[in-house]
């Protein structure tokens, strides 16, 4: 489905009622646990597992309750748990296929581990291209539209999420509204090397009005010098993206989910 604005690519949020049974049950269990924990604190004063809080010290008890409530709320109300929230990665990867896509490439700062990287999984409903890019069309676009190909100039809008880092968004309409920014659609010439390889490859074959989802592996993603576009339009989005892509610990999955909506195709002369 689409947002009311024609320039917006819908994030395809998954309401609680549309989640798979196991995911829906897990969401309810986490929310129920949060409520039960807060009620227990309010009734009993302190649980046995909260150290350093004396029964007769009201101020300390209140401080501990506030701290624990914050932790519980943060866990329970994460993007993967909220009904109707940005739990996209949970929905897209609830059933991963055993289709062998190899291992994440070890390229300079993108090295996932000394053992050669994390094993990749194919998401149901996505087509896998030889490069490792996974694509899924949400809207094929107008049947009478021309198809984007190398050398054409294209205009598109986009949204971006970190798939395995809590499904954290780094470019969405919501983030733009919060930051009070209204970026123009992205414009580039297919094959000119100004955007990340995943988008350059993924936009080919799309028609005007089409909406396509791309699961982009690290070797088709952002460069170390942050020169390739598109970049998030907000400061918070840039921090979220760079936190994942610049991480050198070797344990963070840097696969991205990007939704693109193709607006115009200008064929080369």
């Amino acid at each position: 489905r689409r947002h009311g604005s024609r320039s917006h690519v819908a994030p395809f949020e998954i309401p609680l009622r549309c989640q798979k049974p196991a995911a829906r049950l897990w969401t309810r269990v986490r929310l129920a646990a949060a409520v039960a924990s807060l009620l227990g604190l309010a009734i009993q004063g302190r649980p046995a597992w909260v150290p350093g809080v004396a029964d007769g010290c009201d101020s300390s008890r209140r401080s501990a309750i506030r701290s624990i409530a914050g932790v519980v709320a943060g866990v329970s109300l994460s993007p993967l748990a909220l009904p109707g929230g940005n739990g996209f990665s949970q929905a897209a990867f609830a059933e991963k296929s055993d289709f062998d896509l190899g291992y994440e490439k070890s390229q300079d700062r993108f090295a996932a581990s000394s053992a050669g990287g994390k094993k990749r999984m194919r998401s149901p409903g996505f087509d896998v291209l030889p490069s490792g890019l996974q694509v899924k069309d949400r809207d094929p676009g107008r049947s009478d539209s021309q198809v984007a190909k190398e050398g054409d100039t294209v205009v598109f809008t986009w949204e971006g999420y970190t798939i395995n880092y809590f499904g954290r968004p780094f470019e969405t309409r919501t983030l733009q509204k919060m930051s009070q920014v209204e970026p123009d659609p992205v414009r580039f010439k297919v094959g000119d090397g100004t955007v990340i390889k995943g988008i350059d490859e993924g936009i080919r074959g799309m028609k005007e009005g089409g909406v396509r989802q791309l699961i982009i592996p690290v070797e088709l993603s952002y460069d170390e010098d942050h020169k390739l576009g598109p970049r998030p339009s907000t400061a918070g989005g840039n921090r979220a993206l760079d936190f994942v892509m610049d991480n050198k610990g070797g344990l963070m999955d840097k696969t991205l989910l990007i939704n693109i909506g193709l607006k115009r195709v200008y064929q080369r002369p």
Side-chain angles (χ1 to χ4, degrees), residues 50-132:
V50 179
V53 182
D55 289 336
C57 183
D58 292 339
S59 61
S60 297
R61 182 184 301 123
R62 285 194 298 271
S63 177
I65 290 175
R66 284 194 299 269
S67 299
I68 296 171
V71 173
V72 172
V75 173
S76 301
L77 302 182
S78 67
L80 296 183
L82 272 178
N86 288 326
F88 195 93
S89 62
Q90 178 186 12
F93 288 84
E95 294 181 358
K96 292 187 178 181
S97 169
D98 291 332
F99 188 89
D100 189 2
L101 299 182
Y103 289 83
E104 183 172 308
K105 301 293 189 299
S106 298
Q107 291 186 347
D108 301 325
R109 72 190 182 107
F110 298 137
S113 70
S114 59
K118 299 177 181 178
K119 189 171 180 63
R120 290 174 171 155
M121 304 300 291
R122 173 183 179 179
S123 181
F126 282 76
D127 295 323
V128 183
L129 304 184
S131 64

Side-chain angles (χ1 to χ4, degrees), residues 95-231:
E95 294 181 358
K96 292 187 178 181
S97 169
D98 291 332
F99 188 89
D100 189 2
L101 299 182
Y103 289 83
E104 183 172 308
K105 301 293 189 299
S106 298
Q107 291 186 347
D108 301 325
R109 72 190 182 107
F110 298 137
S113 70
S114 59
K118 299 177 181 178
K119 189 171 180 63
R120 290 174 171 155
M121 304 300 291
R122 173 183 179 179
S123 181
F126 282 76
D127 295 323
V128 183
L129 304 184
S131 64
L133 179 69
Q134 299 187 48
V135 301
K136 181 177 183 179
D137 284 322
R138 287 285 183 169
D139 188 332
R142 298 197 303 273
S143 59
D144 60 344
S145 168
Q146 50 201 354
V147 175
K149 59 185 181 302
E150 185 169 1
D152 292 342
T153 298
V154 296
V155 179
F156 70 94
T157 56
W158 68 293
E159 290 186 338
Y161 302 82
T162 58
I163 287 184
N164 290 314
Y165 184 61
F166 306 110
R168 193 70 54 82
F170 56 87
E171 177 72 353
T172 64
R173 182 61 177 165
T174 299
L175 292 177
Q176 293 167 2
K177 287 183 177 180
M178 292 173 61
S179 298
Q180 298 182 343
V181 297
E182 295 185 5
D184 294 327
V186 181
R187 182 188 182 104
F188 81 103
K189 186 176 182 179
V190 179
D192 68 0
T194 59
V195 301
I196 61 176
K197 295 179 180 179
I199 289 182
D200 188 283
E201 180 180 1
I203 206 167
R204 303 181 188 213
M206 289 186 66
K207 294 183 178 182
E208 292 181 353
V211 178
R212 179 173 289 179
Q213 294 178 258
L214 308 175
I215 296 178
I216 302 178
V218 62
E219 66 271 18
L220 302 179
S221 189
Y222 289 92
D223 60 312
E224 184 175 3
D225 297 327
H226 303 172
K227 292 182 179 180
L228 296 178
R231 294 294 304 181

